[in-house]
Amino acid sequence: MSDMNDDAGTDADPGGDFDTGLLEEELRQAAAVLDPLPPALLQIAVDAYALHDLDARVAELTFDSLVDAIPVRGVTDAPRMLTFSAGEVTLDVEVTARGLMGQVLPPQSARIEVLGGPQAAIPLTADDMGRFTADAPPSGPFALRLHTGADVVVTEWLRA
C-alpha cells in the first residue's frame, strides 16, 4: 500500500494540471468496451424513468421567444422568454445568462424543481405571488417540475 503514496504519482503529473475530464471520458470508453450495458437493462431503465412522473400533467410550450418573437436588431443577449400551459396553470419563465426567473399563474405558492439531466434537481420555491428565481442559468437540456398542492406539472425538455 505504501508504494501508492510514493513519488510515482507525482512523476505522472509534475505540474498539477491533470485533466480529470479526459480521464473520466477514457474510463467511460473503457467501461463501454470491457463491460457494455446490456440492451435489455437499458430499455428497463428508460421505461422506469418514463413512469416516474406518471401522474404529472405535461405543460405545453405555448410561447418561445427563440421561435415566436420578432428579433430586435442590435440586441445580442436578449433573455429567452418561455410560456408553458397545463390546464388552468400557466408558467412564465425568463432564462438569462445570470439565471432564471418566472411566475406561476394564477399566483400561488409552489415548489419548483429545475431538472437538468444526471445532476440533482435544483429546488426553488415560488412565493404567494407565484414568483421564483434561480441564481444560475440551466446548462444543457432542462425541464421544470412544478408542485402545486396535489398537482404535479412537468414541462417538456428544452435546451438552454
Side-chain angles (χ1 to χ4, degrees):
M1 268 305 178
S2 64
D3 292 348
M4 294 180 77
N5 294 330
D6 289 346
D7 293 315
T10 58
D11 292 341
D13 187 23
D17 295 331
F18 188 73
D19 186 1
T20 57
L22 181 61
L23 175 62
E24 183 178 343
E25 182 58 33
E26 288 179 6
L27 290 172
R28 284 183 199 277
Q29 290 175 1
V33 170
L34 298 174
D35 188 19
L37 185 64
L41 182 60
L42 178 61
Q43 187 60 47
I44 290 170
V46 169
D47 292 343
Y49 182 77
L51 295 175
H52 86 281
D53 266 345
L54 192 57
D55 292 335
R57 292 185 299 161
V58 177
E60 177 186 359
L61 179 65
T62 57
F63 178 81
D64 184 348
S65 62
L66 288 181
V67 177
D68 302 321
I70 298 171
V72 177
R73 196 167 88 185
V75 176
T76 58
D77 193 21
R80 184 175 184 185
M81 307 299 290
L82 304 165
T83 301
F84 300 94
S85 296
E88 301 296 319
V89 177
T90 300
L91 185 62
D92 287 326
V93 181
E94 180 177 320
V95 181
T96 68
R98 294 184 310 260
L100 176 107
M101 69 176 147
Q103 184 173 18
V104 179
L105 298 169
Q108 57 189 298
S109 58
R111 279 186 313 117
I112 299 162
E113 297 171 289
V114 181
L115 309 173
Q119 63 266 24
I122 300 168
L124 304 174
T125 303
D127 63 14
D128 291 338
M129 296 299 296
R131 300 172 297 199
F132 60 92
T133 61
D135 294 333
S139 60
F142 74 98
L144 301 172
R145 183 182 301 136
L146 174 69
H147 300 269
T148 60
D151 289 335
V152 177
V153 176
V154 178
T155 67
E156 64 183 85
W157 285 83
L158 297 170
R159 185 162 293 280

